[in-house]
Amino acid sequence: MAKTACTEWALALLAGFIAWPAGAATFEMQQDPASTVLYISTTNLRDKSYLSYSVQGDGRAIVARSQPGESRPTEHETRIEAAVLTEIFKTVVDSGLTEWDAERVSEQVGLDPLGRGNRPKSETLAVFQFAKLTSKSGNCERCERWFRYADVAEMAVRFPALRELNGILQVLRMLDGATAGEPRTSQSVETPVFDLESDPSVVVIEVKSTGINTLRTGLLRVFGDGRGVVEEGFSNDSEPRNRWEIQLNPVQLERIEHSLIYNNLAYCDKSCIDAKMMRIQAGNRLHVEDGSRESYRFVLRNSKTGEQLIREISYENAQMYASRLPVVIELKGLANLSALVWEMLAVAKGGKK
Amino acid sequence: MRYWTLTFYLPFLFVAAIETQAGAYRFSTLPAYNPGIIIHPRDYNGTGGPIQVSLCIDLSAESYRFEINSAIQKWNALNRMVGNCEGCQVVEETPFPEGVDLASTTILHELGHCAFGLGHPNLTELDSSYSTTREYTSINAGADLLRGTRDDVVSPLPGARILHWFRVADNDPFVVDSTVINQATYTRQIVQLPSGSLWPANGNLKVGEALGYQDTQAVMYAYSVAEQRYLGLAADDVNTAKMAMTGLDLNSGTADDYTIQVVLTSDCAAADIVAAVGVFASNVLGACSSNLPVLLGSTIHYRINGQQDLEINEMIRWDVVFADSFETGATDRWF
């Protein structure tokens, strides 16, 4: 297995440096209360339920959970005892999760780590982040480990020799136990609840896509009552070449709302998406020649306060990135919206739906 | 010879701000890099000699093996030719797509990005609202009303990022002669433009026609239309590739000069480039994706960092008719 720059980490917990050796490596964890030292989320892609744990360096933990059918997770804050957190990280290290090797794991279960070719449909998505893990020598360049895996529970049973998969399950069980019951702090974090703006006079979403090589543009603009227009043309046109008025049905409107809210775009702006991508790609984001650029503008309404949320995001090649980095669910949301532009154009032109 | 009317150009003239993405090398449009950046192969370390750039065809792109092979042969030969483009158009002609897109055209273009580190030798005319990482200047087409010709006026000057390399002697992106490419004959220093030139002439079809070259366009020109086919490389493509091959000292015939041969490999894990079918929006033909490059010696010399992906879009209706399973009669992938 290829060693990374982080294999010489040492792990210390809240009260001083408590270290565990893992093979030749030793691991330690930073105590910064502002740092997220462990993050794990699971998403059931069938019933859309969601659960995540975000643990800070001082043991504070934010648990976000949505039940099947709920489009928005609710959060509460609690605290994990130092001794329990110590055990959790010991499990992390002992099960090899600090040295997760996606290619080796995929080879052992016979899957293509790049997602090319056939692979099972994911039902569960899991992500770990070990932030601010520092090397004793102080030269660790990549002190975070992000990885994702599909169908963890099933694969852990089918491949018991893969200690990493069983480690994920064990860590999840430990986190569940450590955060169960009433929140241990009086401060409760409530996520704002949004709906797609329904005012018929308001453009609630506008998506425009431009191809670098083709210069072809597609635009979708939708009002609060589902009326809309789709346009196509070229980037240097002063007016679109073709324009159709359309009426979105409730399913299509729900799809837009789903992309914005379930895919977290209501809560995560461009810098937030970029930060997630940079973490996953270890700071080395891809540069794409050609491809496409998209701009998104949408209007949501806070269902409690009535305040509008207007967000504009420019992005390139969201569909490509979404296919490569499914863990960044916001990219999937952008990709869904981009795809909808071309689907609606095809419908307007009488092509395939 | 087509005759252009003023009416034809009117929409273009009203475009006030246009991105000067006249890059001859990749990454030169990114503000973080010196606009004179030159991209070298992944395995180049300053020592001259032949360099192999390996390319693996992913199973998803197996149907395009013929087109990939053809593109490799064209780039390996580095032959300059006039009349290399059938069906080429420039932006101002933009018809709506009719017919199918040719996979060979897209693959040849993307291989220029991935294997030779080349950028686009033209403006891409994108709306300046997409401005997060790029810099903008304004430019007009000059007295001849032809965009990309030597009389184009760029402003602010100084201040604009001039990214396009040109021949010092004649600022001609299409001429085929025996000129040896090196820093004495090829530059991006606008002060070295020959008399009568205000702008490095771009390798687009209309510039070629104005200079007397019919049906000639740089393969790395950004814009592509349905049924467009490249028979070979234009001088602009080859010159820019050869400039990089002069190595770190930018002089030809010295010890750090190198050559590139793109070779096929079956080892996709170790390949420099993996050709595959990718997922993009419906207005995308293909793409070349790379990590940001690694500094190599000076602020203008970088080398490719890690494996690159050359992808063609699965959403496009390509011309490749006889897909796999041809022999068995499984025609579900045909159209």
Side-chain angles (χ1 to χ4, degrees):
Chain A
M1 181 171 65
K3 295 285 183 184
T4 71
C6 299
T7 54
E8 295 182 358
W9 293 338
L11 179 60
L13 281 183
L14 310 176
F17 290 97
I18 304 171
W20 294 280
T26 314
F27 295 86
E28 65 183 35
M29 184 192 74
Q30 201 175 68
Q31 305 172 46
D32 181 2
S35 295
T36 302
V37 295
L38 171 63
Y39 175 79
I40 179 168
S41 74
T42 66
T43 304
N44 187 314
L45 297 180
R46 283 190 176 164
D47 65 16
K48 308 293 190 289
S49 60
Y50 171 85
L51 173 64
S52 73
Y53 301 93
S54 181
V55 184
Q56 305 300 111
D58 61 357
R60 284 183 303 119
I62 295 173
V63 184
R65 189 190 305 268
S66 68
Q67 302 298 334
E70 292 180 350
S71 59
R72 296 167 289 270
T74 55
E75 296 183 354
H76 80 269
E77 183 177 312
T78 184
R79 185 173 293 277
I80 298 176
E81 301 294 339
V84 176
L85 195 52
T86 300
E87 284 303 309
I88 291 173
F89 271 92
K90 187 172 186 303
T91 303
V92 166
V93 174
D94 288 347
S95 58
L97 291 169
T98 50
E99 296 178 86
W100 176 273
D101 184 328
E103 289 201 11
R104 180 182 56 76
V105 172
S106 297
E107 280 175 9
Q108 285 187 245
V109 299
L111 299 178
D112 180 347
L114 298 177
R116 294 170 178 149
N118 296 322
R119 63 180 302 167
K121 184 74 174 174
S122 298
E123 291 183 354
T124 305
L125 205 59
V127 181
F128 271 93
Q129 179 186 23
F130 305 110
K132 305 296 184 185
L133 284 166
T134 57
S135 164
K136 269 187 172 174
S137 59
N139 61 0
C140 179
E141 294 177 355
R142 296 179 180 177
C143 296
E144 298 180 346
R145 295 291 282 181
W146 280 75
F147 51 85
R148 65 180 175 83
Y149 209 81
D151 308 325
V152 170
E154 177 191 341
M155 300 308 269
V157 172
R158 287 173 58 189
F159 299 93
L162 275 170
R163 58 179 184 151
E164 292 95 333
L165 299 182
N166 286 285
I168 293 174
L169 292 183
Q170 194 174 346
V171 168
L172 277 170
R173 281 195 293 267
M174 294 171 81
L175 284 166
D176 185 41
T179 58
E182 293 299 314
R184 301 184 188 185
T185 63
S186 57
Q187 183 183 6
S188 179
V189 180
E190 186 173 0
T191 305
V193 179
F194 291 105
D195 295 306
L196 196 61
E197 173 63 79
S198 58
D199 186 337
S201 66
V202 173
V203 175
V204 296
I205 186 161
E206 181 172 300
V207 183
K208 182 179 182 183
S209 173
T210 303
I212 304 295
N213 288 131
T214 62
L215 299 180
R216 281 190 64 196
T217 59
L219 179 142
L220 170 67
R221 184 182 296 127
V222 180
F223 292 88
D225 59 358
R227 288 178 301 114
V229 294
V230 282
E231 298 175 354
E232 64 176 359
F234 289 88
S235 64
N236 58 327
D237 289 341
S238 55
E239 294 291 332
R241 301 284 178 101
N242 293 307
R243 184 176 189 273
W244 294 270
E245 293 190 359
I246 57 173
Q247 176 68 49
L248 274 68
N249 61 42
V251 173
Q252 290 162 332
L253 284 171
E254 186 178 345
R255 182 175 163 192
I256 292 173
E257 190 173 68
H258 186 85
S259 295
L260 295 175
I261 296 170
Y262 172 72
N263 288 103
N264 211 35
L265 290 170
Y267 311 96
C268 186
D269 61 11
K270 185 175 190 300
S271 61
C272 163
I273 300 171
D274 282 340
K276 287 189 175 187
M277 290 180 67
M278 291 295 277
R279 279 197 294 268
I280 291 171
Q281 296 180 101
N284 201 352
R285 181 173 174 177
L286 284 178
H287 177 73
V288 181
E289 297 291 344
D290 306 326
S292 64
R293 299 175 188 176
E294 279 81 30
S295 64
Y296 309 83
R297 183 184 189 278
F298 53 86
V299 181
L300 299 171
R301 184 172 290 280
N302 187 315
S303 59
K304 281 195 172 179
T305 66
E307 292 179 353
Q308 274 191 348
L309 170 72
I310 301 174
R311 180 155 287 164
E312 296 182 3
I313 298 175
S314 295
Y315 227 83
E316 300 181 1
N317 303 301
Q319 282 158 293
M320 182 203 78
Y321 282 119
S323 69
R324 293 187 179 204
L325 303 171
V327 65
V328 185
I329 59 174
E330 294 83 0
L331 291 173
K332 182 64 177 171
L334 296 178
N336 287 341
L337 295 172
S338 298
L340 189 61
V341 175
W342 302 102
E343 288 176 28
M344 296 310 296
L345 271 169
V347 171
K349 289 194 281 190
K352 64 178 181 180
K353 295 185 179 180
Chain B
M1 179 73 172
R2 292 172 184 154
Y3 294 93
W4 288 33
T5 67
L6 182 61
T7 306
F8 187 72
Y9 273 99
L10 278 176
F12 176 73
L13 291 175
F14 285 119
V15 178
I18 301 173
E19 182 183 357
T20 55
Q21 197 171 344
Y25 294 98
R26 298 183 63 195
F27 308 104
S28 59
T29 55
L30 302 180
Y33 295 92
N34 186 314
I37 187 173
I38 295 177
I39 300 299
H40 301 283
R42 180 187 188 182
D43 290 338
Y44 183 63
N45 58 12
T47 303
I51 292 177
Q52 287 196 341
V53 175
S54 58
L55 184 149
C56 175
I57 302 175
D58 181 75
L59 189 61
S60 63
E62 188 59 42
S63 301
Y64 304 94
R65 181 173 286 272
F66 176 82
E67 287 73 17
I68 293 169
N69 261 316
S70 174
I72 289 173
Q73 288 171 19
K74 287 183 174 69
W75 277 110
N76 281 347
L78 284 181
N79 288 327
R80 306 169 175 92
M81 69 177 288
V82 171
N84 70 322
C85 191
E86 294 178 348
C88 275
Q89 293 179 331
V90 291
V91 175
E92 291 83 351
E93 295 175 319
T94 33
F96 249 74
E98 290 183 8
V100 295
D101 288 290
L102 307 188
S104 60
T105 298
T106 294
I107 291 168
L108 187 67
H109 177 92
E110 300 306 336
L111 192 59
H113 285 312
C114 281
F116 288 81
L118 302 182
H120 295 143
N122 64 288
L123 312 174
T124 54
E125 328 300 344
L126 284 170
D127 187 311
S128 60
S129 64
Y130 304 94
S131 62
T132 51
T133 60
R134 289 172 170 77
E135 292 187 356
Y136 295 88
T137 62
S138 61
I139 190 171
N140 71 51
D144 65 3
L145 299 181
L146 281 174
R147 179 184 49 80
T149 51
R150 61 185 60 186
D151 74 342
D152 287 7
V153 181
V154 63
S155 65
L157 190 66
R161 287 168 69 90
I162 306 298
L163 311 172
H164 190 205
W165 295 63
F166 58 90
R167 282 169 50 118
V168 173
D170 48 26
N171 187 22
D172 185 334
F174 300 114
V175 63
V176 177
D177 61 15
S178 58
T179 297
V180 177
I181 297 298
N182 55 42
Q183 65 177 345
T185 61
Y186 204 62
T187 185
R188 52 165 286 281
Q189 300 298 326
I190 204 162
V191 294
Q192 293 194 53
L193 280 167
S195 176
S197 288
L198 300 172
W199 173 257
N202 298 156
N204 79 47
L205 183 77
K206 293 299 173 185
V207 174
E209 289 179 356
L211 292 171
Y213 307 99
Q214 301 302 311
D215 302 319
T216 308
Q217 181 163 282
V219 166
M220 298 314 296
Y221 184 68
Y223 181 57
S224 182
V225 294
E227 308 285 357
Q228 174 180 314
R229 183 189 309 278
Y230 285 114
L231 305 176
L233 306 180
D236 196 58
D237 303 309
V238 177
N239 293 344
T240 314
K242 283 186 175 288
M243 186 66 212
M245 292 178 183
T246 62
L248 303 184
D249 66 4
L250 303 180
N251 291 319
S252 52
T254 55
D256 68 351
D257 293 5
Y258 64 90
T259 57
I260 294 176
Q261 283 288 300
V262 183
V263 295
L264 280 177
T265 176
S266 58
D267 185 355
C268 284
D272 295 311
I273 301 167
V274 176
V277 171
V279 181
F280 295 92
S282 297
N283 53 356
V284 173
L285 297 172
C288 169
S289 308
S290 316
N291 295 323
L292 294 176
V294 177
L295 188 64
L296 186 65
S298 75
T299 57
I300 68 164
H301 291 287
Y302 286 76
R303 62 179 171 82
I304 292 295
N305 177 13
Q307 192 175 71
Q308 302 180 92
D309 288 319
L310 187 164
E311 293 174 290
I312 53 176
N313 189 0
E314 68 175 8
M315 300 297 291
I316 296 295
R317 185 168 177 262
W318 296 107
D319 63 319
V320 178
V321 176
F322 296 104
D324 51 357
S325 305
F326 167 68
E327 298 86 348
T328 63
T331 59
D332 56 320
R333 292 188 59 191
W334 301 13
F335 54 81

